[in-house]
C-alpha cells in the first residue's frame, strides 16, 4: 500500500519498478528480458543455434551449438554488444564470451591407444 493514499493498493507496474530499484535488480531484470527476447534481438537463424547462458559483471556468455556458429558469433560480438547496449543502456554489456559445444571427456596424456592389447604381466 502506498503511504498517503488512504490504504489503497499500489498499481502493479510501479510497485515492481520500485521493488527492482530498491533491491538493485534493475539491470538483472533488463538482462533477463534480453534472454526472453533473444530471437527478436539476434534474429531467428542465429537464435536457432545460440542461446544466452549467463550475465555477470558486464560479460554475457553465449552458448553455440557448433564450432562454426561459435566462430560466427565471435565475429559478430562487437555488433552484438552495441545492439544489446542500445536495449539495456550504455555500458551494461561490456563484452560477449562465446562457448562452443562441450567436447567429450579426454583421456590423460598426449597419446592414447584405443582397442590395443593390454600389457603382459
Amino acid at each position: 500500500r502506498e503511504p498517503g493514499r488512504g490504504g489503497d493498493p499500489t498499481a502493479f507496474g510501479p510497485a515492481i519498478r520500485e521493488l527492482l530499484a530498491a533491491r538493485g535488480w534493475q539491470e538483472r531484470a533488463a538482462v533477463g528480458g534480453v534472454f526472453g527476447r533473444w530471437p527478436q534481438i539476434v534474429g531467428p537463424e542465429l537464435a536457432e543455434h545460440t542461446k544466452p547462458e549467463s550475465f555477470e559483471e558486464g560479460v554475457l556468455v553465449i552458448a553455440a551449438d557448433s564450432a562454426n556458429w561459435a566462430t560466427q558469433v565471435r565475429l559478430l560480438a562487437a555488433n552484438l554488444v552495441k545492439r544489446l547496449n542500445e536495449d539495456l543502456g550504455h555500458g551494461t554489456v561490456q563484452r560477449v564470451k562465446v562457448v562452443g559445444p562441450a567436447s567429450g571427456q579426454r583421456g590423460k596424456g598426449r597419446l592414447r591407444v584405443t582397442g590395443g592389447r593390454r600389457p603382459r604381466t
Side-chain angles (χ1 to χ4, degrees):
R1 297 190 186 269
E2 196 173 310
R5 288 193 62 199
D8 289 337
T10 302
F12 184 72
I16 291 296
R17 282 190 292 277
E18 185 178 311
L19 174 67
L20 292 174
R23 303 285 171 117
W25 294 341
Q26 292 164 314
E27 183 178 282
R28 293 194 88 45
V31 171
V34 166
F35 281 36
R37 294 181 298 114
W38 188 246
Q40 291 84 18
I41 292 170
V42 300
E45 186 177 16
L46 190 58
E48 186 178 324
H49 298 283
T50 63
K51 68 177 183 174
E53 290 262 307
S54 65
F55 177 78
E56 195 133 343
E57 297 180 11
V59 179
L60 177 65
V61 177
I62 300 172
D65 65 5
S66 72
N68 289 340
W69 280 104
T71 300
Q72 184 68 25
V73 175
R74 285 183 191 105
L75 293 172
L76 297 171
N79 290 336
L80 193 52
V81 168
K82 181 180 176 185
R83 170 68 180 94
L84 290 166
N85 283 330
E86 287 172 0
D87 226 41
L88 300 171
H90 179 69
T92 302
V93 178
Q94 296 167 10
R95 87 181 168 93
V96 168
K97 177 181 176 185
V98 183
V99 294
S103 60
Q105 183 176 354
R106 292 185 161 184
K108 293 181 180 178
R110 195 169 63 98
L111 302 174
R112 279 188 306 260
V113 176
T114 58
R117 289 187 345 179
R118 300 178 79 200
R120 295 183 190 168
T121 54

